[in-house]
Amino acid sequence: MIKLLWSPTKNQIEDSQAWEFIQKVNKKFNISLENFHDLYKWSCKCPESFWELFSSYSRIIVDKKSKKVLKNGEDFLKSEWFSDSKLNFAKNLLSKRDQTPAIIFWGEDKHKSSLTHDELYNQVARLSHWLKKSGVVRGDRVAGLLPNMAESVVSMLATSSIGAIWTSCSPDFGVQGVLDRFGQVKPKVFICVDAYLYNGKVFNCLEKNAEIISKLPSIENTLLVRYINDQASLNEDNSIFAFDKIADQEVTPELIFESVTFNDPLYILFSSGTTGVPKCIVHGVGGTLIQHKKEHTLHCDIKEGERVFYFSTCGWMMWNWLVSSLASGATIMLYDGSPILKHNAGILFDYAEQERINVMGISAKFLDTCRKINLNPSASHNLEALRMLLSTGSVLSPDCFDYVYQYVKEEICLSSISGGTDIVSCFVLGSTILPVYRGELQTRGLGLSVEVWNELGESVTGEKGELVCTSTFPSKPIMFWSDKKMNKYKSSYFERYSNVWCHGDYVKLMESGGMIFYGRSDATLNRDGVRIGTAEIYRQVEILNEVLESVVVEQALDDDSRIILFVKLSEGQQLNDELKNKIAHQIRSNTTPRHVPDVIIQVSDIPRTKSGKIVELAVQKAINNLPIDNKTALENPEVLQEFYQHKELQ
């Protein structure tokens, strides 16, 4: 039986927005939903009623209501939600006007700044006016190469106020990685930073910026954010301007919000690009807004004035998710730099304590690192204000669930969440009115018909299978950029099952309504016909203090294959026979003999994307001597050579 770690009190349940919404559903439709899982089932059975009522309940500001909630609902690709409604994304996020903080920023050097809701509105108004003067109109692209700072939020909101499209990367991307992304979407305006900090080092970006500008002919004007050096400049070119001189002007022009349709483009997000040039995934204005508000309101219970943090970069969709908290009247908490500093491993908990953060989001890798270095925030920090902890990026191991309740906070809702860039949100996530069970994600997302299908395409419970979504939902991508015939779109999600979204996660739906994740299904191992999720192995290996990180893949042999486990060890550790046996015993004792790898190899590092995700497919290609199309998508592409050349693999 899976261990219960936390349950909400009766008062916590009845004080939540989800509970209030359940009562509204019951009253309007004369039904008797009793809990969150009942609400989930109803939202999937009656999706049009759910989304229409939630749109009203959440007070989304629309300039024109749609006569029809859903068109072509039977066809996933052709379906359109609220097709003739009109609204503006920035207008919804800037609806609160007062002197309370809208944004609080910490750099890793504890450089702090903040903007009130009024100050944010005024800066957006000034930049929006400048963008219009620069020729930006509805449908144009504005690209940011920026840290996670207030200027990034201002830039996005100014762009969306016009009805233009925002796209961004973090400044640690190399020139080619930026060109692979922005080159496809041809931005008219480029907004970049002079330099950024990471783990005590300053990384100058001026040469990189100049090279990008020279190789992107679509750029007509550039804004330079002066973060590290307030005197920094690119050159004397008339098309390059200082961000601060525009945002800090004394005169504030009127902010005019361009009314656009629900399914007009808002964001272009990029796939990781580890298997080729990144796909440009376009998300719509209304779908993004209503999906984020649903997750913030009904799943996370974010209320006006609360403080919401997610450790992210501007190259990861959790940044977009975080910024949408402004639509709930929340204060968004931004941090840029390393989450664990050499001289201060607990800086994010410093931030949570000093700024009284209510909802805190981090990665599973961050929690696992904290566990291994024996960080004990419950003893060193006052986290009284913190009520919810979110984790994503990879599977959160059961041991990290234990770590949170033993060493972070005992009375907290820990929600492991999973979704992705593809839907700019989550398929499976948490709820403040549901219990937390060890190793389980609490619930499927309201309004998303998520099922687990076995190899026969049958919906199953209590068995491992593919995560699928059987019906359309508002935050599905509206298109891929330059994919006029929708071929890339179809092949990405609908190649395996006709008219059913296949997400590529290997999971199990529990009787409780929660879900357990076993890793990506496209990296699933096959041992004697039995499918093995990679996360099942990681959970056991990374319990060991000797192992910092691992990646497990399958290598093809002449007429067979073998499973190889690569381990990055703690400082001073060496992989000898004793440690190999210890690893094998740990796996065998807690899973099955099939899970034990054929070979265990020590490496200096594990390749990962810019957002910190381990790239199993890139490792698999390397050990099978196959080319890797786009190494620029990786944080540390140089380590792949170690996998290509490793003697034990030959």
Side-chain angles (χ1 to χ4, degrees):
M1 187 173 179
I2 294 182
K3 183 180 178 183
L4 174 67
L5 297 174
W6 176 85
S7 289
T9 65
K10 185 174 184 290
N11 286 342
Q12 285 172 325
I13 292 171
E14 294 182 353
D15 188 43
S16 72
Q17 293 170 98
W19 182 258
E20 182 182 54
F21 185 71
I22 288 171
Q23 310 319 307
K24 288 188 178 295
V25 172
N26 286 340
K27 183 176 180 180
K28 183 174 178 64
F29 298 100
N30 194 27
I31 55 178
S32 302
L33 307 181
E34 295 183 358
N35 53 44
F36 196 91
H37 287 312
D38 284 351
L39 177 62
Y40 172 75
K41 291 172 186 173
W42 175 81
S43 73
C44 295
K45 182 181 178 182
C46 306
E48 293 179 58
S49 297
F50 168 74
W51 288 110
E52 184 176 35
L53 181 60
F54 178 72
S55 176
S56 171
Y57 172 77
S58 62
R59 297 185 296 278
I60 289 176
I61 302 168
V62 293
D63 302 318
K64 176 190 173 186
K65 286 190 174 182
S66 182
K67 294 177 183 176
K68 192 171 176 62
V69 176
L70 179 61
K71 283 184 181 178
N72 302 317
E74 70 288 344
D75 189 317
F76 219 123
L77 277 167
K78 293 180 181 177
S79 60
E80 287 185 78
W81 292 87
F82 303 99
S83 57
D84 54 343
S85 70
K86 290 200 168 184
L87 72 166
N88 184 275
F89 188 78
K91 186 177 184 178
N92 277 271
L93 271 65
L94 293 169
S95 60
K96 186 176 181 180
R97 298 286 305 278
D98 60 24
Q99 293 302 310
T100 61
I103 298 174
I104 293 175
F105 169 79
W106 272 30
E108 69 166 40
D109 57 351
K110 293 197 177 181
H111 168 78
K112 302 177 186 179
S113 63
S114 64
L115 289 175
T116 67
H117 288 278
D118 279 348
E119 289 169 337
L120 174 61
Y121 187 97
N122 292 337
Q123 286 202 9
V124 171
R126 294 166 196 148
L127 185 56
S128 177
H129 181 72
W130 181 87
L131 288 171
K132 288 178 183 176
K133 283 177 57 182
S134 300
V136 176
V137 297
R138 178 175 172 175
D140 282 341
R141 279 75 63 206
V142 176
L145 189 67
L146 296 166
N148 179 22
M149 59 198 309
E151 288 84 347
S152 306
V153 179
V154 171
S155 299
M156 182 278 288
L157 291 171
T159 300
S160 62
S161 72
I162 299 168
I165 306 168
W166 174 256
T167 188
S168 59
C169 293
S170 54
D172 54 344
F173 273 78
V175 171
Q176 191 56 51
V178 175
L179 296 176
D180 286 345
R181 289 160 174 78
F182 294 166
Q184 294 185 70
V185 302
K186 299 180 172 55
K188 184 177 280 189
V189 171
F190 179 51
I191 306 177
C192 53
V193 73
D194 64 327
Y196 66 94
L197 279 166
Y198 195 85
N199 218 357
K201 294 181 181 178
V202 175
F203 295 85
N204 193 300
C205 297
L206 295 178
E207 285 187 19
K208 181 197 299 185
N209 295 334
E211 187 176 351
I212 290 166
I213 293 166
S214 71
K215 292 181 177 179
L216 280 180
S218 65
I219 294 174
E220 296 178 6
N221 289 289
T222 297
L223 277 177
L224 179 65
V225 174
R226 299 188 285 198
Y227 174 35
I228 302 298
N229 178 3
D230 60 10
Q231 299 299 313
S233 65
L234 282 166
N235 55 37
E236 299 303 317
D237 193 311
N238 291 331
S239 65
I240 297 174
F241 303 85
F243 185 99
D244 52 284
K245 289 187 177 179
I246 294 161
D248 297 338
Q249 290 174 6
E250 290 186 11
V251 177
T252 302
E254 181 185 0
L255 179 51
I256 299 171
F257 297 105
E258 178 78 17
S259 193
V260 300
T261 69
F262 190 91
N263 296 295
D264 269 350
L266 169 69
Y267 290 134
I268 298 175
L269 304 182
F270 303 101
S271 66
S272 61
T274 53
T275 57
V277 176
K279 293 187 285 286
C280 305
I281 304 172
V282 186
H283 286 291
V285 173
T288 302
L289 178 63
I290 197 170
Q291 174 73 345
H292 286 177
K293 283 216 76 171
K294 179 209 72 177
E295 294 186 349
H296 293 160
T297 304
L298 301 183
H299 287 270
C300 298
D301 199 33
I302 293 169
K303 295 174 180 173
E304 183 173 348
E306 287 203 304
R307 297 184 165 204
V308 183
F309 168 74
Y310 217 106
F311 178 78
S312 181
T313 72
C314 294
W316 190 23
M317 53 81 38
M318 292 312 302
W319 180 83
N320 309 78
W321 188 93
L322 168 66
V323 174
S324 291
S325 304
L326 288 167
S328 297
T331 301
I332 58 172
M333 316 297 291
L334 308 181
Y335 173 87
D336 196 74
S338 173
I340 296 180
L341 300 175
K342 290 178 181 177
H343 63 280
N344 182 8
I347 187 168
L348 293 189
F349 293 108
D350 292 349
Y351 193 16
E353 176 184 37
Q354 293 179 35
E355 302 292 355
R356 296 188 61 77
I357 291 173
N358 305 111
V359 178
M360 181 177 185
I362 35 70
S363 69
K365 176 59 185 169
F366 171 80
L367 283 176
D368 193 51
T369 301
C370 291
R371 181 180 69 85
K372 287 189 171 174
I373 63 175
N374 298 316
L375 200 66
N376 187 356
S378 64
S380 56
H381 293 76
N382 179 358
L383 301 177
E384 179 186 9
L386 189 63
R387 62 172 181 80
M388 190 175 202
L389 188 65
L390 306 173
S391 169
T392 193
S394 58
V395 179
L396 186 65
S397 71
D399 299 280
C400 283
F401 276 80
D402 294 338
Y403 167 76
V404 167
Y405 284 100
Q406 290 173 14
Y407 297 105
V408 178
K409 191 173 182 181
E410 188 175 334
E411 287 300 320
I412 194 168
C413 180
L414 170 61
S415 296
S416 180
I417 65 178
S418 182
T421 300
D422 314 81
I423 62 169
V424 72
S425 57
C426 303
F427 276 127
V428 186
L429 63 167
S431 165
T432 60
I433 66 170
L434 285 175
V436 176
Y437 293 98
R438 185 176 187 262
E440 276 190 25
L441 285 71
Q442 290 171 285
T443 180
R444 291 164 285 178
L446 294 168
L448 303 181
S449 297
V450 174
E451 296 180 8
V452 179
W453 283 16
N454 64 17
E455 293 184 359
L456 298 175
E458 301 167 331
S459 182
V460 295
T461 300
E463 297 178 29
K464 297 172 188 173
E466 290 280 351
L467 187 153
V468 301
C469 188
T470 59
S471 300
T472 181
F473 50 90
S475 67
K476 72 182 180 74
I478 57 172
M479 62 179 176
F480 285 7
W481 195 257
S482 300
D483 182 30
K484 293 180 181 178
K485 294 184 178 179
M486 306 286 272
N487 290 330
K488 287 183 182 177
Y489 196 151
K490 290 174 190 173
S491 65
S492 294
Y493 311 116
F494 302 103
E495 199 166 62
R496 183 160 185 181
Y497 305 114
S498 175
N499 205 37
V500 171
W501 180 295
C502 185
H503 197 56
D505 282 325
Y506 192 48
V507 300
K508 182 196 292 183
L509 178 63
M510 308 300 285
E511 294 290 347
S512 65
M515 193 170 277
I516 295 176
F517 276 64
Y518 297 97
R520 293 292 295 171
S521 61
D522 51 12
T524 300
L525 309 171
N526 193 312
R527 173 64 66 81
D528 300 326
V530 177
R531 298 178 82 197
I532 297 172
T534 54
E536 296 177 87
I537 295 175
Y538 299 148
R539 282 175 187 154
Q540 301 309 321
V541 175
E542 295 177 15
I543 287 173
L544 304 174
N545 289 330
E546 294 93 336
V547 181
L548 283 178
E549 208 165 26
S550 61
V551 61
V552 62
V553 292
E554 201 166 341
Q555 184 186 36
L557 299 175
D558 292 338
D559 297 309
D560 201 356
S561 66
R562 62 178 179 172
I563 294 174
I564 300 175
L565 173 69
F566 295 95
V567 291
K568 177 184 178 182
L569 300 182
S570 304
E571 190 173 348
Q573 295 288 335
Q574 284 297 317
L575 185 65
N576 51 29
D577 288 342
E578 182 181 356
L579 183 52
K580 285 182 182 179
N581 290 334
K582 184 176 181 180
I583 292 170
H585 177 75
Q586 176 70 24
I587 296 170
R588 184 183 294 108
S589 300
N590 293 282
T591 55
T592 74
R594 286 194 182 94
H595 288 70
V596 179
D598 299 294
V599 182
I600 304 175
I601 297 173
Q602 181 178 355
V603 288
S604 62
D605 204 358
I606 306 291
R608 62 183 62 257
T609 64
K610 300 283 186 184
S611 60
K613 293 183 180 179
I614 292 172
V615 283
E616 293 163 327
L617 290 180
V619 172
Q620 193 168 50
K621 285 189 172 187
I623 68 169
N624 286 294
N625 289 313
L626 298 172
I628 296 167
D629 300 319
N630 191 8
K631 295 180 183 178
T632 60
L634 301 181
E635 174 74 28
N636 50 352
E638 67 284 350
V639 304
L640 280 172
Q641 202 58 34
E642 191 173 337
F643 293 83
Y644 274 113
Q645 296 178 343
H646 209 291
K647 291 179 181 178
E648 289 189 57
L649 297 173
Q650 309 308 315

